[in-house]
Amino acid sequence: MTDNEDFDCDSVGKGTSTALEKQYLRLTSAPDPSTVRPESVLKDSLKFVRGKWESDRNYSYVSEQLKSIRQDMTVQRIINDFTVEVYETHARLALQNGDTSEFNQCQTQLKQLYQKLDGAKMEFLAYRILYHIQMSKTFSINHLLTEIDEETFQNAAVVHALRVGEAVLSGDFISFFQLYQNAPNMNSSIMDILIDRVRYSGLKTLCKGFHPKLSVKAIQKFLHFESEAKCLEFLEGMNCVMIDTR
């Protein structure tokens, strides 16, 4: 596990810092052990950071602190269940806050970690499938499917992700929104990124089916907008021509 750091990890040894908070800085050489926190302190730091998230909801701060924890684990070659916990925590928070770049870094590391360690493997496999769908990586999805055994195909979160993929690829926006409403874990967080694409495709289908005109109320219902105002904002962004029929 490298987590994008370029230096000789073997030369660092065990850290001695007791700081719960630490600014993340990209390293170009092995750090002074006095600035690196040992695993026992990192566990306290993770609890502290989780508490800060619950109280302040400052994702930028929390993400930086989690990256700093990850960095301290990397330079000390800490690879165990705690490592998995840190990456899973950061990945979920990244999803919750729409940070797909950080999520992808975490899920890439988790894929490696899961080869030797336990964790929420099925949950994150579902996220990985949805992430590839969001990135339109059909080849990656097909390759991923060849690695999935029969037991995994029975997992509810994985089945849900695969059904989302089918809905997106076939343009079935009705099934997509049904799946969105019943998404397990945080599957809906990745589906959020897909919604505009699905709505655009769905709008074209609706316009063809209801030509020459379609009510805003109908569009709001079919494409699951929370309000008419949100629906109108979307339609205006699509340069739709709207006529007042009152």
Side-chain angles (χ1 to χ4, degrees):
M1 187 179 70
T2 62
D3 207 23
N4 300 320
E5 300 299 344
D6 302 317
F7 50 82
D8 182 3
C9 293
D10 292 328
S11 66
V12 175
K14 185 176 180 180
T16 59
S17 173
T18 60
L20 292 179
E21 298 174 278
K22 177 183 171 183
Q23 183 181 7
Y24 172 79
L25 296 172
R26 186 170 179 83
L27 301 176
T28 57
S29 62
D32 184 334
S34 66
T35 66
V36 177
R37 297 161 294 181
E39 184 175 349
S40 59
V41 175
L42 291 175
K43 288 180 177 179
D44 290 337
S45 180
L46 179 60
K47 292 178 183 177
F48 174 81
V49 171
R50 280 173 166 166
K52 292 289 284 185
W53 169 249
E54 291 301 321
S55 63
D56 300 341
R57 297 285 165 168
N58 184 339
Y59 175 69
S60 179
Y61 164 82
V62 168
S63 183
E64 179 187 52
Q65 292 303 310
L66 288 169
K67 288 181 74 170
S68 181
I69 291 173
R70 285 161 45 188
Q71 186 179 74
D72 281 358
M73 290 192 303
T74 298
V75 299
Q76 295 173 96
R77 291 194 180 277
I78 298 173
I79 304 175
N80 54 27
D81 290 342
F82 174 64
T83 314
V84 173
E85 181 182 2
V86 170
Y87 276 94
E88 288 181 344
T89 298
H90 202 172
R92 291 188 183 106
L93 282 173
L95 275 183
Q96 190 174 343
N97 289 274
D99 187 352
T100 54
S101 176
E102 200 63 56
F103 165 76
N104 188 46
Q105 288 186 40
C106 291
Q107 70 94 9
T108 299
Q109 293 294 337
L110 283 167
K111 182 181 179 181
Q112 298 178 25
L113 291 167
Y114 288 152
Q115 293 176 10
K116 296 182 178 180
L117 298 164
D118 291 327
K121 296 181 180 180
M122 295 299 100
E123 176 188 348
F124 278 88
L125 174 58
Y127 297 155
R128 193 155 69 250
I129 292 170
L130 289 170
Y131 178 78
H132 288 322
I133 294 168
Q134 183 264 139
M135 296 295 291
S136 299
K137 293 183 176 180
T138 306
F139 174 80
S140 297
I141 297 171
N142 292 336
H143 179 71
L144 194 59
L145 293 178
T146 64
E147 301 175 352
I148 298 177
D149 57 29
E150 192 61 35
E151 182 179 353
T152 302
F153 273 117
Q154 305 305 314
N155 180 269
V158 172
V159 170
H160 177 271
L162 293 172
R163 286 177 177 169
V164 170
E166 291 175 358
V168 172
L169 292 174
S170 64
D172 185 355
F173 61 92
I174 292 177
S175 292
F176 176 89
F177 286 111
Q178 289 174 340
L179 289 163
Y180 182 85
Q181 291 180 314
N182 297 287
N185 302 319
M186 296 183 69
N187 281 18
S188 62
S189 293
I190 303 183
M191 293 176 73
D192 281 336
I193 305 168
L194 289 161
I195 279 184
D196 279 351
R197 187 196 310 178
V198 172
R199 281 175 170 160
Y200 176 70
S201 174
L203 180 61
K204 290 198 295 183
T205 300
L206 289 170
C207 287
K208 289 177 182 178
F210 290 88
H211 183 78
K213 58 185 178 180
L214 178 65
S215 72
V216 173
K217 282 290 185 184
I219 297 172
Q220 179 186 343
K221 178 182 177 181
F222 279 119
L223 302 184
H224 285 253
F225 285 98
E226 61 186 32
S227 68
E228 184 174 322
K230 289 288 186 182
C231 183
L232 285 169
E233 182 182 342
F234 172 79
L235 294 174
E236 288 170 358
M238 294 293 106
N239 297 317
C240 293
V241 177
M242 286 171 279
I243 303 171
D244 190 348
T245 59
R246 287 175 297 179

